[in-house]
Amino acid sequence: MRRKTLALSLLAATSAFATPGSGDLWEVTTQMSMEGMPAGMMPARTQQVCSAREWTKPPIAQDEKHKCDVSDWTNTPTKSTWKMHCPEEKMDGTGEITRTSPDAYTGVINMTSPHGAMTMNLAGKKIGPCDAEAAQAGREAQMAQVQAQMAAAQKAGDDAKAQACKATADAMDPRMLDMQAQVCESATYKPMLCAKASSDEGFKELKGRPADAENGLAAVAKYCGMDVAAKEKDLCKKAAAGESDLAYVARNCPDEAAPIAQRECAGRDYTALAGTKYAGFCATYAAAHPTPGASPAPADAKAKAKKTLKSLFGH
Amino acid sequence: MIPALLAAAAVAAAAAPAPTDPFPHAAASYVVAIDGQIVWERDADTPRLPASLTKMMTALLLVERDWDPNAQVKISAGAAKATGSRAGLKAGEVLAANDLLTAMLVSSANDACAALAEHAAGSASAFVERMNARAKELNLAATRFANPCGHDDPSQRSSAYDLAVLAEEAMTHPVIASIVSRVRATIRTAKGRKIEVKTGNHLLGRCEGTYGVKTGFTPGAGKCLVAAVQRGRTRVLVVLLDADERWWTAAGVIEMAFDEAHARQQR
């Protein structure tokens, strides 16, 4: 809400060149950029503005509800500068307009606030005389358009931020969420992260990460207060019952995998089973659950391993 | 700790965790490398009989020096009598060197291997000298060859690590990489006799992304395998020496290696 008000004040700046009576008709191009908003999010915009011939104050529209104090106003034939402070918005800024010729100027208004920095670049080109009163209605319409443009840009910025925070939560990496705590409110995104970590899909993904990783299962479980053992048990039961994820069962569920291996892998040749539903399961089981016991290096242990393996797998 | 396979991977190795042994019963010795970096190993430096994995060195020497795929090679009586895996070549038959290389690498034909070694160096023993010199150049510290084709011999030895390095080197040669990816091939003698050869690498065509390299088996060496697999940008090399269930084990280890690669990318 505050950022919206800030935007309105700045947008009004362009139309503030106009005063009642005869004046100069300027074609003014504005380009707004905001901190945290992707470059080019808000395209340049060109308007015709009827403004007073002599500037006696900064080209800033004063919002009655959020009035800004102007100071250090200077005006020469070639340059106008000023400072501004908006107590309501806790916002400070500077403005500068340089007359590059009697019929043209460039300028920039920089504002800072607790919500970030905004910059508005200005370029004006005089295109003739104008009737300021008659232009008033047009200016108001133009202001409305720019206001809408600003609102859309701010919404896009907010959406981009929300999307980035959601992506961080989806990545299930507490470190990242902590690092972005000022942007991604923990109250919103921690539950989102933990909900994914608790889901079957998220839990399997965590199981696949290095155990000692800072975004690994143990770290995330601690962050979310998850009961890992209970989740593993539940997941193994579900995966084995429907054989929906045999690779997971082969690797993580010895109790559930053993009977499937005995039923589907025992005595099967790799070349015969390759390409079938159980090929991956049998291969993973063979690698992940080798013969229990001692190292194969000693002859007796190796003989034991060979004997046990041959009882389960074909050659 | 074994260093990274490739010089390019050596920098990354400095920050990489030491290889672990998650498959203690998979093989007497094994090495699993992801993108040139060894992640899992067991007794990887221990010298063992390499069986027909030896032929990776034979092939490397052949293609590295004056390789003429169309050179006509006459099969000697000795080569024709080679034991073990054979293409069924007869003494006096003439074949193109590339056909013999194909038979040697695809079906591990010892008669083709012997003929090529004799052709290249004049004798098997002279070829073996070259093999040992090349092994030294490659810093294969645990490797010593006594014959060019991998027959069991007390002096024939290599390690899982050395064979991984050798495989990486051999696969840099398109001639070798192309042949070891073939499931079957037809070779012809100069007189037109066709001989069908079929790969012994059961992972080819069955395990996604497998593109070589070599199998081996002798009574002394047991079942051996070097397999190269690529999925996307990730490359996995598996060396198994004396692995009773080499196909099941290799297939499982390969899947886990790609999972590991994925996990490391997320770390």
Side-chain angles (χ1 to χ4, degrees), chain A residues 205 208-210 212-213 215 251 268-271 273-274 279 282-284 286-288 290-291 293-296 302 305-306 309 313-315, chain B residues 22-28 42-43 48 202-203 206-207 223 242-245 247-249 251-253 255-256 259-260 262-264 266-267:
Chain A
E205 185 180 328
R209 293 178 183 176
D212 60 343
N215 64 346
R251 194 169 309 178
R268 303 294 177 84
D269 188 288
Y270 174 76
T271 56
L273 212 55
C282 294
T284 304
T291 311
S295 161
K302 184 159 169 41
K306 182 178 283 189
L309 279 167
F313 290 96
H315 298 290
Chain B
F23 314 113
H25 298 274
R42 179 175 184 76
D43 286 340
R48 295 183 183 280
H202 295 325
L203 297 179
R206 296 186 177 91
C207 179
K223 294 171 183 172
D242 195 5
D244 293 314
E245 304 294 340
W247 304 120
W248 284 119
T249 300
V253 166
E255 294 306 321
M256 291 189 193
D259 288 350
E260 175 70 12
H262 180 68
R264 288 181 180 220
Q266 289 190 322
R267 190 191 279 262

Side-chain angles (χ1 to χ4, degrees), chain B residues 135-150:
Chain B
K136 195 172 180 181
E137 285 176 3
L138 290 170
N139 293 317
L140 307 184
T143 298
R144 184 77 188 170
F145 296 106
N147 61 71
C149 304

Side-chain angles (χ1 to χ4, degrees), chain A residues 112-308:
Chain A
T112 59
S113 80
H115 306 289
M118 301 176 72
T119 299
M120 174 182 277
N121 289 303
L122 309 171
K125 183 172 68 175
K126 193 188 291 181
I127 56 178
C130 64
D131 181 337
E133 288 180 358
Q136 184 65 33
R139 286 201 300 275
E140 287 174 357
Q142 287 169 345
M143 273 194 62
Q145 282 185 336
V146 176
Q147 287 170 5
Q149 181 190 15
M150 281 300 301
Q154 286 189 335
K155 183 178 184 307
D158 290 345
D159 288 350
K161 188 185 293 180
Q163 196 172 358
C165 291
K166 185 177 182 303
T168 301
D170 278 344
M172 297 187 292
D173 192 334
R175 295 169 306 174
M176 296 297 292
L177 206 54
D178 286 344
M179 286 169 60
Q180 299 181 39
Q182 285 192 328
V183 178
C184 307
E185 299 85 358
S186 177
T188 302
Y189 293 103
K190 181 177 178 180
M192 196 180 288
L193 185 156
C194 293
K196 181 169 181 190
S198 300
S199 70
D200 291 354
E201 177 195 7
F203 190 82
K204 286 178 184 176
E205 185 180 328
L206 291 173
K207 289 276 288 183
R209 293 178 183 176
D212 60 343
E214 291 183 52
N215 64 346
L217 176 59
V220 175
K222 185 179 177 184
Y223 179 76
C224 295
M226 286 169 54
D227 184 342
V228 174
K231 182 64 185 174
E232 282 180 328
K233 192 175 178 182
D234 175 61
L235 207 52
C236 283
K237 193 176 174 183
K238 281 196 287 188
E243 294 187 352
S244 56
D245 191 346
L246 285 169
Y248 183 86
V249 175
R251 194 169 309 178
N252 301 289
C253 314
D255 292 345
E256 288 80 2
I260 298 174
Q262 191 61 43
R263 188 181 73 233
E264 303 295 343
C265 310
R268 303 294 177 84
D269 188 288
Y270 174 76
T271 56
L273 212 55
T276 67
K277 174 182 176 182
Y278 293 100
F281 170 84
C282 294
T284 304
Y285 189 84
H289 299 280
T291 311
S295 161
D300 56 340
K302 184 159 169 41
K304 180 185 173 188
K306 182 178 283 189
K307 185 179 177 184
T308 312

Side-chain angles (χ1 to χ4, degrees), chain B residues 13-264:
Chain B
T20 57
D21 176 20
F23 314 113
H25 298 274
S29 295
Y30 74 84
V31 157
V32 179
I34 299 174
D35 294 332
Q37 181 70 46
I38 294 176
V39 294
W40 302 320
E41 64 171 45
R42 179 175 184 76
D43 286 340
D45 285 326
T46 302
R48 295 183 183 280
L49 290 166
S52 288
L53 304 188
T54 299
K55 292 182 176 104
M56 293 192 296
M57 175 60 89
T58 305
L60 178 64
L61 276 181
L62 288 168
V63 303
E64 276 183 338
R65 186 187 292 190
D66 301 328
W67 172 242
D68 177 4
N70 299 314
Q72 298 298 293
V73 180
K74 188 174 182 179
I75 307 303
S76 70
K81 289 178 183 173
T83 57
S85 298
R86 295 164 37 82
L89 305 176
K90 297 170 186 172
E93 283 188 317
V94 176
L95 291 92
N98 199 60
D99 275 0
L100 291 172
L101 187 66
T102 299
M104 182 184 85
L105 291 176
V106 173
S107 66
S108 205
N110 288 329
D111 44 5
C113 171
L116 282 169
E118 290 171 0
H119 176 76
S123 69
S125 59
F127 193 82
V128 167
E129 284 183 22
R130 291 185 188 176
M131 294 170 75
N132 286 324
R134 189 71 178 95
K136 195 172 180 181
E137 285 176 3
L138 290 170
N139 293 317
L140 307 184
T143 298
R144 184 77 188 170
F145 296 106
N147 61 71
C149 304
H151 291 99
D152 283 351
D153 186 296
S155 300
Q156 184 96 351
R157 60 181 183 269
S158 189
S159 66
Y161 172 68
D162 282 1
L163 289 163
V165 173
L166 177 56
E168 292 268 8
E169 182 67 23
M171 291 296 276
T172 63
H173 293 271
V175 172
I176 295 175
S178 171
I179 292 174
V180 297
S181 69
R182 300 180 70 172
V183 173
R184 63 182 71 241
T186 302
I187 64 172
R188 288 177 177 78
T189 66
K191 290 187 175 178
R193 184 168 77 91
K194 290 182 182 177
I195 302 170
E196 302 288 332
V197 292
K198 188 178 174 183
T199 186
N201 186 348
H202 295 325
L203 297 179
L204 283 171
R206 296 186 177 91
C207 179
E208 179 197 343
T210 304
Y211 63 98
V213 292
K214 193 69 191 74
T215 64
F217 171 76
T218 64
K223 294 171 183 172
C224 304
L225 171 69
V226 178
V229 189
Q230 179 149 4
R231 296 177 187 171
R233 291 183 175 181
T234 302
R235 193 167 50 87
V236 168
L237 184 77
V238 175
V239 179
L240 301 177
L241 299 184
D242 195 5
D244 293 314
E245 304 294 340
R246 63 179 157 175
W247 304 120
W248 284 119
T249 300
V253 166
I254 287 165
E255 294 306 321
M256 291 189 193
F258 280 104
D259 288 350
E260 175 70 12
H262 180 68
R264 288 181 180 220

